[in-house]
Amino acid sequence: GAVVSQHPSRVICKSGTSVKIECRSLDFQATTMFWYRQFPKQSLMLMATSNEGSKATYEQGVEKDKFLINHASLTLSTLTVTSAHPEDSSFYICSARDHRTSYNEQFFGPGTRLTVL
Amino acid sequence: DAKTTQPPSMDCAEGRAANLPCNHSTISGNEYVYWYRQIHSQGPQYIIHGLKNNETNEMASLIITEDRKSSTLILPHATLRDTAVYYCIVSPTNAGKSTFGDGTTLTVKP
């Protein structure tokens, strides 16, 4: 089956620093990747849709200058949390669509736990 | 995306079938029903999807009513490892984003 990896799985950083999270599709090409954020005991909240070679589409209320997304290749998308603050602490999850299929199933990464001190 | 409604929680005895309902009364003709599950502190896992016919794979069965306004995910022989939050989503093909609701927390008990 389709496999999506994320790196790092867990990161702790100081307030004001930037953190980059990588999302890779390992055995398929993904023209579209998605970034979600999940707070404890809550559902996944879509942050942005990342399309290879073009600018990401951000959901309402998500600051595009704070959450920088780059989808430079068909197998890699990155999310950079700039000037992180404690309220950015969350579980960040990416997903990818396999461009070979006409369906909309998504394959999710294992998530990245970000803690901002 | 059409909105879905799921019960917040359900229990199931180990070895028994788990039947998880989902209402999607505003589903459009071109929208599929997708099911995912999320085990604690992990990324969601795709389970199954369907349009109007019932579907079965190695993980589960999906039963969609004739009017497509509701569906049921069936785990035929639930195990403790099936304890997770199950999400029902409706979305057109090639639509891009999917909106996750609150899901159903399934607890499989020994």
Side-chain angles (χ1 to χ4, degrees):
Chain A
V3 179
V4 175
S5 70
Q6 277 185 247
H7 178 79
S9 59
R10 186 181 297 269
V11 57
I12 302 172
C13 70
K14 293 182 179 180
S15 185
T17 61
S18 294
V19 175
K20 179 185 284 188
I21 302 170
E22 293 186 348
C23 177
R24 293 181 185 272
S25 57
L26 298 185
D27 52 359
F28 67 100
Q29 293 182 328
T31 53
T32 304
M33 289 184 173
F34 305 92
W35 287 97
Y36 295 83
R37 180 167 53 181
Q38 186 175 33
F39 293 107
K41 298 189 184 300
Q42 295 186 21
S43 185
L44 284 77
M45 184 191 77
L46 180 66
M47 299 176 66
T49 301
S50 170
N51 293 299
E52 186 266 339
S54 65
K55 292 184 178 180
T57 302
Y58 290 82
E59 294 299 303
Q60 191 173 9
V62 177
E63 300 176 58
K64 62 180 181 180
D65 294 331
K66 179 170 183 62
F67 299 99
L68 301 179
I69 292 172
N70 184 282
H71 192 160
S73 78
L74 287 172
T75 60
L76 173 64
S77 176
T78 61
L79 167 68
T80 302
V81 183
T82 62
S83 186
H85 291 286
E87 57 266 30
D88 298 323
S89 297
S90 188
F91 192 48
Y92 291 87
I93 308 169
C94 72
S95 72
R97 284 189 60 230
D98 187 341
H99 84 290
R100 296 169 298 180
T101 74
S102 60
Y103 299 112
N104 202 24
E105 70 267 40
Q106 297 178 40
F107 300 97
F108 287 82
T112 296
R113 178 79 56 191
L114 171 63
T115 302
V116 184
L117 302 176
Chain B
D1 292 354
K3 183 176 180 179
T4 61
T5 304
Q6 298 177 253
S9 64
M10 293 182 65
D11 291 344
C12 177
E14 187 178 19
R16 304 298 292 270
N19 298 285
L20 292 95
C22 179
N23 285 318
H24 31 79
S25 58
T26 59
I27 191 170
S28 299
N30 66 340
E31 289 184 315
Y32 282 69
V33 180
Y34 297 84
W35 282 84
Y36 296 86
R37 73 178 181 185
Q38 185 179 27
I39 296 171
H40 183 62
S41 296
Q42 297 182 24
Q45 176 189 23
Y46 164 79
I47 300 173
I48 198 168
H49 75 275
L51 181 63
K52 54 183 179 180
N53 296 322
N54 297 338
E55 302 288 343
T56 295
N57 63 20
E58 64 278 6
M59 290 183 66
S61 295
L62 174 60
I63 308 298
I64 303 174
T65 58
E66 192 170 341
D67 63 7
R68 301 206 329 118
K69 293 185 177 183
S70 66
S71 61
T72 300
L73 179 75
I74 301 173
L75 308 178
H77 305 287
T79 70
L80 299 179
R81 289 178 295 179
D82 291 322
T83 292
V85 180
Y86 288 76
Y87 296 99
C88 167
I89 296 168
V90 293
S91 178
T93 58
N94 296 318
K97 66 180 183 180
S98 295
T99 302
F100 281 76
D102 293 332
T104 296
T105 299
L106 174 68
T107 303
V108 181
K109 298 184 175 182

